[in-house]
Amino acid sequence: MTVAGFFRLAYNTVTAPRDVARLLIAMNLSSQVLWLAFALVIVLNTLMFTLSLMLMPADDLFGAVLANPTVFGAMLAVSVAALIVAVTLCGRPLGGQASYAQIAILVIWLQALRFLMQAVVALIGPISLFLSGVLISAASVLGIWIFVNFIDVAHETGSLLRAGLVLLLAVVGMMLGLSLVFSLLGVQTGGIPGYV
């Protein structure tokens, strides 16, 4: 994919999320390509998160743990993988048809867009914290809307409300599961769930 193609697809994701979801699913990428793309977005988001902390040091909420890129990357990888599994499984009781690979490509693409948004925030943040905060809030709301549409297309729920329910169940289940796992490991998650 060219740089122009990436930005065109990013724009289309905002204006026509359902069409982009169908396009991504229709690519029918192999598991090897999906794993490579997964690793790439985790590395890119980890680098961007680390850069953001360097430009705008966070308070004690993140702590020393998340300041370590290796630890943050590992936790982000686990969180994103858990989200893929949760969205796939939570759609099944509601008649969902999506496979793990179909949900994976959609989540990976959203993580690629998150990297793009984080880059914009990193540029704006040092100039205006207020503007970057507004941008983050708007991107979060827009991201949820896009993901609900993605889920509706992938699971063929036939209803955005039902797709929204799938997302809600998935996020709650994922957060409960990860909180239990991380607490057993003695790791404080800080802002990871919100970052995913």
Side-chain angles (χ1 to χ4, degrees), residues 1 3 15 18 22-23 25 28 43 46 57 67 72 96 101 117-118 120 130 133 137-138 154 165 167 171 175 182-183:
M1 179 184 294
V3 174
T15 58
R18 303 177 71 83
R22 294 186 187 97
L23 174 63
I25 291 172
N28 198 24
V43 169
T46 299
F72 177 84
M117 181 54 58
Q118 290 294 324
V120 173
F130 173 75
S137 298
L165 179 59
L167 179 57
V171 170
M175 290 182 67
F182 286 139
S183 64

Side-chain angles (χ1 to χ4, degrees), residues 81-92:
L83 180 62
I84 292 170
V85 172
V87 170
T88 304
L89 294 180
C90 288
R92 301 286 165 76

Side-chain angles (χ1 to χ4, degrees), residues 9-195:
L9 191 60
Y11 175 78
N12 290 339
T13 301
V14 175
T15 58
R18 303 177 71 83
D19 292 340
V20 171
R22 294 186 187 97
L23 174 63
L24 292 172
I25 291 172
M27 293 172 67
N28 198 24
L29 299 176
S30 67
S31 59
Q32 184 178 3
V33 174
L34 286 175
W35 278 111
L36 183 60
F38 177 85
L40 180 61
V41 295
I42 294 301
V43 169
L44 289 176
N45 275 286
T46 299
L47 289 175
M48 188 52 63
F49 180 79
T50 303
L51 177 62
S52 297
L53 284 183
M54 291 171 61
L55 294 175
M56 296 176 292
D59 53 26
D60 292 336
L61 173 66
F62 294 100
V65 174
L66 294 186
N68 184 322
T70 303
V71 174
F72 177 84
M75 293 173 67
L76 181 61
V78 171
S79 299
V80 173
L83 180 62
I84 292 170
V85 172
V87 170
T88 304
L89 294 180
C90 288
R92 301 286 165 76
L94 296 175
Q97 305 295 318
S99 65
Y100 288 106
Q102 290 173 330
I103 297 298
I105 186 59
L106 299 177
V107 172
I108 288 169
W109 175 243
L110 287 177
Q111 288 299 312
L113 294 182
R114 179 173 289 279
F115 165 75
L116 181 62
M117 181 54 58
Q118 290 294 324
V120 173
V121 170
L123 291 174
I124 295 176
I127 300 171
S128 173
L129 286 176
F130 173 75
L131 185 57
S132 65
V134 170
L135 186 60
I136 290 172
S137 298
S140 297
V141 173
L142 183 59
I144 292 172
W145 168 252
I146 292 171
F147 199 16
V148 168
N149 276 276
F150 277 12
I151 291 171
D152 186 32
V153 171
H155 272 307
E156 300 178 18
T157 58
S159 164
L160 288 179
L161 184 61
R162 192 173 296 179
L165 179 59
V166 171
L167 179 57
L168 178 63
L169 292 174
V171 170
V172 171
M174 180 196 79
M175 290 182 67
L176 289 175
L178 289 179
S179 295
L180 177 61
V181 171
F182 286 139
S183 64
L184 290 175
L185 294 175
V187 177
Q188 295 298 318
T189 59
I192 284 284
Y195 189 84

